[in-house]
Amino acid sequence: MKRSNTIIPQSNPKAGYLAHRAEIDRAIKRVMECGWYILGREVEAFEKEFAAYLGVHHAIGVGNGTDALELALRACGVGSGDLVFTVSHTAVATIAAIELVGATPVFVDIDPKTYTMDPNSLAAALVRPLKGSPKAVIPVHLYGQSADMPVILKLAHRYGLKVIEDCAQSHGAMLNGRMTGTWGDIAAFSFYPTKNLGAFGDGGMVATKDTSLAERVRLLQQYGWRKRYISDIPGGNSRLDELQSAILRVKLKYLNKENKRRNKLAAIYTDTFSGHSLVLPASTAREEHVFHQYVIGTAYRDGLKDYLKQNGINTLIHYPVPVHLQPAYKGRIKVVSSLIYTENAAKRILSLPIYPELSEKEVRFVAMKVLEWFVLKKL
Ligand SMILES: *Cc1c(COP(=O)(O)O)cnc(C)c1O
């Protein structure tokens, strides 16, 4: 079965536009004709709707997910000389935000089954004497799966750390029936186009139940203004556009349905692969994964990736090099824990195509090509 012309992309934000085209076009037109483009009715409404979706009191629209993390850290009082515990198996944005506020990242290892922060590794790092004051922990709900929040929270409380959830890949994901972004002190979301809730440009959100943290973020996001043109504290500029907000209001209505669809497609992959030697996404009975990515693991990853590419199937690696080994960070940030599972994961993981508009037939085709390669290679 040769598919010479059809390309299956790994993600497809344009399909997300076409799926809701009439509604999105109406929303865009409404904003354009209204004549008010920054901090107006749309972002206000979207913040309320997003906060209600999560079940928190406050949501503050910001420029992107990296800004959301940075503002959350600043609001928590994290700054120079402070230590922030997080994982190296994440988007570089998580680490960039920590360094933007002048703090130092402390890397802890991941659980090899879930690819999220290993609480045992966090516990080991917390008892180690380190230069700097431990201030916060950033668990990342990677690939759409919640980190082990009950245990991470217990450790954070014992050591007096703020908990900032990186929810850039986990819109709508839950653990024990509880939404990611509602466990910690404050949470950061990204609306980058390929995320489960994606804009058509940059966007981000900070969410929190804590009124004083929310107030700090509001001040910091716009020059420290309570009153226009009067800065009470030094701040910057990070705002979510009216246009993106209007679009995201449309897409938020479909988020649960689209997350269910991702689950359905993921189940097809999992059913087809079961009994084979691939490492599949771990899932426990309690969690509600939203499959931002469907990630498989194999020692023969690079050959498989090439074979899929030859068959018109695009895949990605999230992420090919752990942050602590990237040129900007290697040697400069001291690694104090074993990151063996982090380093092993980077060599084996492969993100297969997944997005709500992908057809079941396409998923079966991808899965079949994956298995076919193992047969051809006699593995
Ligand atoms: C996408 C992403 C971010 C950053 O979001 P931007 O909107 O691109 O700045 C942060 N953390 C994780 C885990 C991400 O996937």
Side-chain angles (χ1 to χ4, degrees):
M1 185 159 142
K2 197 114 187 113
R3 287 174 66 127
S4 40
N5 301 322
T6 331
I7 303 278
I8 300 180
Q10 202 273 331
S11 68
N12 195 346
K14 184 178 170 183
Y17 165 56
L18 298 177
H20 311 294
R21 185 175 202 159
E23 256 188 290
I24 290 171
D25 286 353
R26 271 202 303 280
I28 291 171
K29 193 161 179 275
R30 183 175 74 230
V31 175
M32 294 315 293
E33 288 177 352
C34 161
W36 190 270
Y37 306 115
I38 293 283
L39 296 191
R41 264 184 292 181
E42 298 291 342
V43 70
E44 219 173 89
F46 179 54
E47 285 171 345
K48 283 211 180 78
E49 288 156 9
F50 195 72
Y53 176 81
L54 292 179
V56 297
H57 299 307
H58 310 282
I60 303 114
V62 298
N64 56 60
T66 311
D67 283 2
L69 284 166
E70 183 191 340
L71 291 169
L73 283 159
R74 282 195 202 284
C76 288
V78 179
S80 101
D82 293 336
L83 304 176
V84 179
F85 298 80
T86 193
V87 287
S88 182
H89 185 62
T90 181
V92 75
T94 315
I95 313 309
I98 295 169
E99 291 211 313
L100 279 167
V101 306
T104 303
V106 181
F107 294 118
V108 305
D109 211 354
I110 54 167
D111 176 330
K113 289 201 211 65
T114 61
Y115 303 105
T116 59
M117 179 178 280
D118 174 11
N120 294 318
S121 180
L122 175 63
L126 285 168
V127 296
R128 205 163 268 144
L130 299 169
K131 211 169 125 252
S133 0
K135 271 285 167 60
V137 54
I138 306 185
V140 182
H141 306 306
L142 202 72
Y143 305 150
Q145 181 173 39
S146 177
D148 188 351
M149 293 311 291
V151 184
I152 291 169
L153 279 185
K154 210 178 283 170
L155 284 167
H157 290 155
R158 189 178 308 154
Y159 289 88
L161 304 179
K162 291 281 188 195
V163 178
I164 299 161
E165 298 177 67
D166 184 336
C167 298
Q169 302 190 6
S170 74
H171 316 74
M174 297 203 226
L175 180 67
N176 302 343
R178 185 163 167 188
M179 197 74 90
T180 56
T182 67
W183 292 86
D185 294 282
I186 193 162
F189 289 83
S190 163
F191 304 123
Y192 185 81
T194 59
K195 309 287 185 183
N196 286 36
L197 181 59
F200 299 104
D202 275 311
M205 188 78 90
V206 179
T208 180
K209 282 170 276 186
D210 186 316
T211 303
S212 65
L213 287 179
E215 157 131 333
R216 293 281 302 271
V217 174
R218 285 251 182 247
L219 285 176
L220 290 165
Q221 80 157 157
Q222 189 170 236
Y223 314 120
W225 288 354
R226 272 193 188 85
K227 227 168 93 194
R228 206 165 184 194
Y229 307 132
I230 309 293
S231 297
D232 285 346
I233 61 168
N237 167 11
S238 183
R239 300 176 296 220
L240 181 62
D241 292 352
E242 286 287 287
L243 208 45
Q244 299 301 343
S245 302
I247 293 165
L248 287 163
R249 290 181 69 194
V250 173
K251 294 190 82 186
L252 178 60
K253 292 191 290 181
Y254 301 100
L255 178 59
N256 283 347
K257 200 173 137 214
E258 293 183 348
N259 282 344
K260 275 207 190 83
R261 171 75 185 168
R262 286 172 181 269
N263 261 278
K264 181 165 191 197
L265 301 178
I268 295 174
Y269 278 134
T270 297
D271 288 347
T272 316
F273 295 148
S274 69
H276 293 270
S277 63
L278 290 168
V279 177
L280 302 182
S283 88
T284 67
R286 287 175 309 180
E287 89 209 342
E288 287 128 297
H289 202 311
V290 292
F291 287 98
H292 173 60
Q293 302 296 352
Y294 187 93
V295 175
I296 57 172
T298 166
Y300 310 101
R301 189 261 319 272
D302 294 339
L304 172 61
K305 189 177 194 321
D306 289 344
Y307 182 72
L308 294 175
K309 180 86 196 167
Q310 285 158 25
N311 283 278
I313 299 161
N314 288 339
T315 59
L316 284 171
I317 299 166
H318 299 98
Y319 295 89
V321 182
V323 178
H324 71 282
L325 297 178
Q326 296 185 21
Y329 301 96
K330 195 177 173 181
R332 190 168 61 74
I333 299 177
K334 226 171 97 196
V335 172
V336 296
S337 308
S338 159
L339 299 176
I340 188 71
Y341 292 117
T342 294
E343 291 178 14
N344 282 345
K347 292 175 200 147
R348 291 160 182 265
I349 47 173
L350 188 66
S351 306
L352 299 181
I354 194 159
Y355 51 90
E357 298 78 16
L358 192 64
S359 74
E360 287 157 48
K361 196 172 150 210
E362 286 171 314
V363 171
R364 284 197 191 92
F365 174 75
V366 174
M368 195 260 292
K369 286 291 164 190
V370 170
L371 295 181
E372 186 179 278
W373 186 78
F374 282 93
V375 172
L376 287 172
K377 293 284 153 186
K378 301 191 169 57
L379 289 167

